[in-house]
Amino acid sequence: MKLSKVMAEFVIEGSNIDVEVINDMLNIKPDVAYNKNEYHTPISKKYGRWLINTLYEESYDINDQLSKLIKLLFKKVEQLNEIKKKFRNTSYTFCVVVEIYDDKETPAIYLNLKTIKFLNKIGAYFTVDLYVYNDDKSFEKHEIEE
């Protein structure tokens, strides 16, 4: 049976973050990192970003991808909370991106209690982006945010 594809990412975003300081504090190499105004895009003019992500994988459950990121960050609650103190108005977001095709199974979309508690400890948002592809290769985007 064919499955939909799932990717998860954890984003630190703020108008005054310093990605080198975050690298040092977390001791994790980000997949993407830039300070405010480093690039000439609308979003980088307002915010800096530091993020880690999984690759797209076929999946029965979004928690398979989400747990990979949480495993990296689980013992870094103190550092994550310190980053928020050091750089005011910084936000954390876990985003799960699901690509659903007409002929594929959809993954389970829920958060287990361990994940909810972790997100609460660091004050993180959680979002799901659903991309539903039709037979003609077009898609509809559906965003769920909590």
Side-chain angles (χ1 to χ4, degrees):
M1 183 167 297
K2 293 181 178 181
L3 300 174
S4 295
K5 291 185 179 181
V6 177
M7 182 270 291
E9 65 183 13
F10 172 70
V11 181
I12 299 174
E13 186 176 73
S15 58
N16 65 343
I17 66 169
D18 182 329
V19 296
E20 291 303 322
V21 172
I22 293 171
N23 289 345
D24 292 343
M25 290 178 77
L26 294 179
N27 198 27
I28 297 172
K29 185 180 184 297
D31 293 296
V32 175
Y34 57 85
N35 292 311
K36 180 180 172 179
N37 289 321
E38 281 188 356
Y39 295 106
H40 298 291
T41 64
I43 196 138
S44 71
K45 290 183 181 191
K46 292 183 177 184
Y47 304 103
R49 275 194 170 166
W50 183 99
L51 73 90
I52 54 176
N53 61 269
T54 66
L55 299 175
Y56 276 96
E57 300 173 301
E58 290 189 340
S59 182
Y60 283 110
D61 189 329
I62 67 164
N63 289 287
D64 294 343
Q65 288 68 38
L66 200 52
S67 66
K68 292 176 183 181
L69 299 179
I70 291 173
K71 187 175 182 178
L72 281 174
L73 298 166
F74 194 74
K75 293 185 178 178
K76 306 216 181 245
V77 171
E78 187 177 317
Q79 294 91 327
L80 289 163
N81 287 328
E82 188 60 35
I83 289 168
K84 276 195 170 178
K85 288 178 189 172
K86 187 173 188 72
F87 303 112
R88 301 267 179 219
N89 300 316
T90 297
S91 67
Y92 297 154
T93 303
F94 282 90
C95 180
V96 174
V97 181
V98 182
E99 292 183 342
I100 301 171
Y101 298 86
D102 279 345
D103 62 341
K104 294 192 177 187
E105 288 264 330
T106 58
I109 300 174
Y110 68 95
L111 296 177
N112 61 39
L113 187 57
K114 183 177 178 181
T115 298
I116 292 168
K117 286 180 178 180
F118 177 72
L119 270 63
N120 185 53
K121 281 183 184 178
I122 64 169
Y125 293 98
F126 177 77
T127 65
V128 175
D129 286 350
L130 298 175
Y131 294 90
V132 181
Y133 292 89
N134 300 318
D135 285 332
D136 62 0
K137 305 292 187 231
S138 64
F139 72 92
E140 301 170 26
K141 179 181 176 183
H142 304 276
E143 190 169 302
I144 303 168
E145 190 169 319
E146 294 204 19

